[in-house]
Amino acid sequence: MFRKLQEYTTRPDLYARYTAKELWTSPHISKQMLAYHLSQETDLASRRLETIGHITDWIDDHAGLEGRRLLDLGCGPGLYASQFAERGAIVHGVDFSSHSIGYAREKAATAKQSIRYDVADYLEGSLPDRQDIVTLIYCDLCVLSPAQRQHLYTNVRRSLVPGGMFIVDVMHMSAFSAYTEGCDLDFNMMAGFWSENPYYAIHCRHKYAADFVSLDAYTVVEERRTFRIFNWLRYFTPQMIGDELLANGFTDITVDEKYLTGGRASSIEVAEDDSSAQTFAVIARIPS
């Protein structure tokens, strides 16, 4: 027992495991994730609809959605995609959660929206081409390792038309400063979120200061099985993400730290001590 507890609570090597697919495709957990997506009481899986409306307005103001071909990566149950379509975009959403895509398709059919939804992993294979805009929202970029981000950047560049826009939001470095390490043990943690069977769960929070990464590691112990979920998160300053995108073939980088409530975009020369935002938005273009 001592050795197991030591294993489950010791900080693993950086990016030792990538378990996002298990989180979003497990039959039980993916149903819980869909419920969290749709909930208006929590921002755990997706933001509330009012905030999504603000973000959609912001994107429309800066990119002009009417008639534009838009690829929404990690689209989930289509909360953003449906609003993009309402503003006239030609939307294609991809996500590797079949439960979320099933809900999105039903919602689009009910609303008579011609949105294409595919069950797919945007890190595997190629992306649809000739897109005017590619979006990756709710800090999905931050869960990827450097190698995964580079692979994604290559695919996004190939997907976009000349002058096309890549629009993402990322975690601000101020959130990393506020992140605290520790471990918790609970029976049926998060009210049965992790399994339909009785279980104990250990939640450990680790920081990798030199790499600006945090890890929320969950170890779920049932009577007959044990599994682990690793949620990595990379934090950025505006300059850091701007430099990374420039190094990966993008240009004309713009950031906005007030995009959740509206605001005007500015250049990447944002004061590094402005830590009022937990997340900020980035618009990057590929050369025309």
Side-chain angles (χ1 to χ4, degrees):
M1 178 64 72
F2 179 85
R3 288 194 297 272
K4 282 296 183 184
L5 288 174
Q6 188 176 46
E7 175 188 350
Y8 297 152
T9 58
T10 298
R11 189 181 77 166
D13 292 339
L14 183 63
Y15 298 120
R17 299 177 63 184
Y18 186 68
T19 62
K21 187 166 287 190
E22 289 96 320
L23 178 67
W24 291 95
T25 61
S26 162
H28 176 79
I29 299 174
S30 62
K31 290 178 183 178
Q32 304 301 309
M33 291 300 295
L34 177 57
Y36 275 111
H37 262 302
L38 303 177
S39 172
Q40 296 301 293
E41 304 299 323
T42 177
D43 288 333
L44 183 63
S46 190
R47 297 184 177 99
R48 293 169 176 85
L49 290 176
E50 181 180 5
T51 306
I52 292 172
H54 286 312
I55 294 171
T56 304
D57 288 341
W58 182 89
I59 292 174
D60 197 10
D61 288 343
H62 290 80
L65 293 176
E66 180 69 34
R68 308 294 291 278
R69 294 182 297 274
L70 186 149
L71 176 63
D72 188 19
L73 302 178
C75 65
L79 301 181
Y80 292 90
S82 62
Q83 295 208 26
F84 296 154
E86 286 177 4
R87 287 158 176 79
I90 303 164
V91 184
H92 186 165
V94 298
D95 196 285
F96 54 31
S97 171
S98 59
H99 285 289
S100 292
I101 290 294
Y103 176 90
R105 287 171 174 165
E106 290 180 7
K107 182 181 177 183
T110 300
K112 301 188 185 314
Q113 292 181 317
S114 58
I115 303 172
R116 176 176 175 178
Y117 288 111
D118 288 329
V119 178
D121 184 346
Y122 57 72
L123 291 178
E124 297 179 359
S126 59
L127 300 177
D129 61 5
R130 305 298 299 169
Q131 302 297 308
D132 298 300
I133 303 167
V134 174
T135 58
L136 184 63
I137 302 176
Y138 206 33
C139 301
D140 277 16
L141 185 73
C142 298
V143 309
L144 306 178
S145 70
Q148 288 172 324
R149 293 199 304 273
Q150 286 195 341
H151 177 71
L152 175 66
Y153 295 148
T154 298
N155 280 351
V156 168
R157 289 199 316 272
R158 291 171 178 167
S159 178
L160 286 168
V161 298
M165 297 181 182
F166 181 38
I167 302 177
V168 299
D169 57 0
V170 296
M171 292 298 297
H172 198 289
M173 194 62 72
S174 62
F176 183 65
S177 300
Y179 186 92
T180 57
E181 294 187 296
C183 290
D184 301 303
L185 169 67
D186 196 11
F187 178 69
N188 282 354
M189 180 179 284
M190 299 171 62
F193 176 89
W194 294 107
S195 176
E196 66 274 19
N197 302 314
Y199 63 88
Y200 285 91
I202 301 171
H203 173 205
C204 287
R205 301 171 300 280
H206 303 288
K207 290 182 79 168
Y208 301 76
D211 299 280
F212 311 111
V213 173
S214 68
L215 169 64
D216 283 78
Y218 293 88
T219 303
V220 181
V221 182
E222 300 175 322
E223 182 178 5
R224 298 185 180 277
R225 69 163 181 160
T226 297
F227 63 91
R228 307 190 72 187
I229 298 293
F230 284 9
N231 292 334
W232 304 97
L233 209 58
R234 169 68 157 92
Y235 303 75
F236 295 91
T237 65
Q239 194 69 48
M240 285 176 178
I241 188 63
D243 289 345
E244 181 167 295
L245 289 165
L246 288 170
N248 282 275
F250 294 91
T251 186
D252 193 17
I253 312 299
T254 314
V255 304
D256 191 334
E257 293 182 310
K258 295 181 173 59
Y259 76 108
L260 292 178
T261 56
R264 302 181 70 86
S266 61
S267 68
I268 63 172
E269 285 78 19
V270 174
E272 293 296 328
D273 61 355
D274 182 0
S275 59
S276 59
Q278 292 288 296
T279 66
F280 61 94
V282 185
I283 300 174
R285 295 180 183 270
I286 60 170
S288 298

